[in-house]
């Protein structure tokens, strides 16, 4: 496969996953922002959402101060924001058009239909209660595209590059959400275990579709170390870091078999997966959750960089 084709397929899947993750982040921020606060200031939740999305600097450069309307518009509709849902869907569709012959009809129609429907949304005329429906629609369309890919594509290099894009992006998102929760959402350690703390943890679990399944597994109230264990080490949880690296390892093994050559990125991914497989949440907390997550994000970025170099991506 040409490097340009591999690059477009990889980033197509990353942008579809990023659009869904952005919808989940907005939903989590929106839920928390609706809750009454003693100081009457709900902007802290939006500040943490922007930081988790990795676009706080872009937002402040454009708007200066926080407001619910501006944050939602920036994350959802702003074409100048490189990570907005608008930009993600538009860029994914552009990559899909460039590699139309590498996709199945169902994949193309799912993505193209999503873009055409999104274009019909008029931000200036939206009612305040329309946001949850739009965010649910984004998640449904992302799931629809993933379903089309999984059910129709050959298990060849097209599939493997698509899987890599999806799960590298998903791992990055889960790690950033956890890190922001740990350092930004709670204004004081005295609030740990309080009602505010529990509401915030619930919002984080909902943002990764883990609210109900957490209860199935732990049958307990929200506890920070158990939630961290669930989202980092539990391979049964589809958005955990360990589950993501199981898929990344599988995709890189598939590429190695397909091309008859192992690349350095496979060794890096395997070492990251081993770290997660053998990890212990007590040890992680003792050494520092923030430090662990920063190290993981750096490892994840290194795997992505090594993949681009190994398979001659153009950007």
């Amino acid at each position: 496969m040409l490097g340009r084709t591999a690059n477009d397929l990889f980033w197509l899947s990353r942008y579809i996953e990023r659009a869904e993750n952005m919808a989940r982040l907005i939903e989590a921020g929106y839920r928390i922002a609706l809750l009454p606060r003693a100081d009457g200031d709900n902007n802290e939740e939006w500040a943490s959402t922007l930081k988790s999305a990795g676009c706080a600097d872009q937002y402040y450069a454009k708007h200066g101060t926080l407001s619910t309307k501006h944050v939602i518009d920036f994350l959802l509709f702003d074409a100048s924001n490189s990570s907005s849902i608008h930009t993600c869907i538009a860029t994914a569709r552009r990559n899909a058009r460039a590699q139309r012959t590498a996709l199945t009809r169902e994949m193309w129609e799912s993505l193209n239909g999503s873009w055409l429907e999104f274009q019909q949304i008029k931000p200036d005329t939206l009612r305040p209660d329309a946001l949850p429906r739009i965010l649910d629609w984004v998640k449904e369309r992302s799931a629809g595209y993933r379903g089309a890919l999984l059910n129709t594509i050959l298990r060849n290099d097209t599939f493997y590059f698509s899987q890599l894009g999806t799960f590298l992006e998903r791992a990055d998102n889960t790690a950033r959400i956890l890190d922001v929760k740990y350092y930004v959402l709670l204004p004081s350690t005295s609030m740990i275990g309080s009602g505010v703390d529990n509401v915030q943890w619930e919002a984080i679990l909902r943002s990764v579709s883990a609210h109900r399944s957490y209860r199935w597994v732990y049958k307990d109230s929200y506890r920070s170390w158990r939630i961290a264990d669930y989202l980092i080490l539990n391979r049964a949880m589809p958005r955990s870091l360990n589950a993501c690296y199981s898929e990344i390892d599988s995709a890189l093994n598939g590429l190695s078999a397909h091309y008859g050559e192992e690349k350095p990125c496979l060794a890096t991914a395997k070492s990251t997966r081993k770290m997660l497989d053998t990890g212990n949440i007590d040890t992680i907390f003792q050494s520092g959750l923030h430090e662990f997550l920063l190290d993981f994000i750096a490892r994840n970025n290194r795997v992505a960089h090594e993949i681009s170099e190994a398979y001659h991506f153009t950007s």
Side-chain angles (χ1 to χ4, degrees):
M1 179 180 287
L2 295 175
R4 181 66 195 183
T5 302
N7 179 81
D8 287 349
L9 293 170
F10 174 83
W11 280 104
L12 163 56
S13 285
R14 283 203 78 155
Y15 276 111
I16 290 293
E17 181 68 21
R18 189 174 298 178
E20 179 179 350
N21 291 335
M22 189 64 72
R24 294 175 181 279
L25 280 174
I26 296 171
E27 182 181 33
Y30 184 67
R31 282 177 180 271
I32 298 175
L34 288 176
L35 297 172
R37 288 175 59 103
D39 57 8
D41 181 12
N42 292 319
N43 284 334
E44 188 171 357
E45 285 73 30
W46 288 124
S48 70
T49 299
L50 289 166
K51 184 173 180 180
S52 185
C55 53
D57 290 343
Q58 279 184 278
Y59 173 86
Y60 289 117
K62 182 167 186 175
H63 292 289
T65 59
L66 288 168
S67 78
T68 296
K69 180 181 184 301
H70 285 155
V71 172
I72 290 173
D73 183 74
F74 184 72
L75 296 179
L76 190 52
F77 298 113
D78 197 330
S80 69
N81 175 8
S82 57
S83 293
S84 71
I85 290 174
H86 174 281
T87 301
C88 288
I89 297 176
T91 306
R93 180 178 179 269
R94 185 164 60 247
N95 286 1
R97 286 189 65 183
Q99 306 303 334
R100 177 68 183 83
T101 57
L103 308 182
T104 64
R105 177 176 59 84
E106 290 84 356
M107 291 166 66
W108 166 252
E109 289 181 354
S110 174
L111 180 52
N112 190 52
S114 297
W115 171 246
L116 294 176
E117 287 184 39
F118 190 79
Q119 288 286 84
Q120 299 304 310
I121 301 173
K122 306 300 180 186
D124 294 338
T125 63
L126 285 179
R127 292 168 50 90
D129 61 356
L131 180 63
R133 295 197 301 273
I134 294 174
L135 299 178
D136 284 343
W137 176 86
V138 173
K139 291 184 287 184
E140 288 168 4
R141 298 306 296 180
S142 172
Y145 176 81
R146 283 285 298 163
L149 183 151
L150 292 173
N151 288 320
T152 64
I153 201 68
L154 288 172
R155 267 41 179 180
N156 56 13
D157 45 0
T158 297
F159 173 74
Y160 299 132
F161 283 119
S162 298
Q163 288 288 89
L164 289 173
T166 295
F167 289 101
L168 283 165
E169 185 68 29
R170 186 174 296 183
D172 180 80
N173 181 72
T174 297
R176 290 181 186 278
I177 286 175
L178 267 174
D179 191 43
V180 168
K181 161 60 187 171
Y182 192 71
Y183 267 88
V184 177
L185 280 180
L186 282 178
S188 169
T189 56
S190 65
M191 297 181 69
I192 294 175
S194 68
V196 173
D197 187 41
N198 288 338
V199 167
Q200 291 173 343
W201 277 121
E202 179 181 353
I204 295 305
L205 286 170
R206 288 185 183 279
S207 75
V208 292
S209 291
H211 174 251
R212 182 170 295 180
S213 60
Y214 172 85
R215 295 287 197 178
W216 290 341
V217 173
Y218 295 100
K219 298 177 176 62
D220 198 359
S221 60
Y222 306 121
R223 299 181 186 276
S224 58
W225 61 92
R226 286 185 174 172
I227 292 173
D229 178 74
Y230 194 45
L231 298 184
I232 294 172
L233 303 178
N234 193 321
R235 199 189 304 174
M237 198 276 144
R239 291 182 174 273
S240 75
L241 304 186
N242 201 359
C244 289
Y245 262 81
S246 177
E247 297 289 350
I248 291 166
D249 184 37
S250 177
L252 287 173
N253 277 315
L255 284 174
S256 296
H258 186 80
Y259 292 122
E261 180 184 6
E262 287 192 4
K263 303 287 190 178
C265 51
L266 178 59
T268 306
K270 283 187 178 299
S271 69
T272 303
R273 183 182 180 185
K274 182 179 179 181
M275 176 190 73
L276 296 167
D277 271 336
T278 59
N280 178 277
I281 201 61
D282 291 332
T283 303
I284 290 172
F285 266 83
Q286 287 169 8
S287 61
L289 178 62
H290 175 63
E291 289 74 18
F292 176 87
L293 291 170
L294 286 183
D295 177 68
F296 173 83
I297 291 169
R299 283 173 175 262
N300 196 54
N301 289 338
R302 185 159 63 249
V303 172
H305 176 72
E306 289 179 358
I307 289 170
S308 69
E309 286 198 330
Y311 295 103
H312 312 295
F313 288 3
T314 55
S315 62

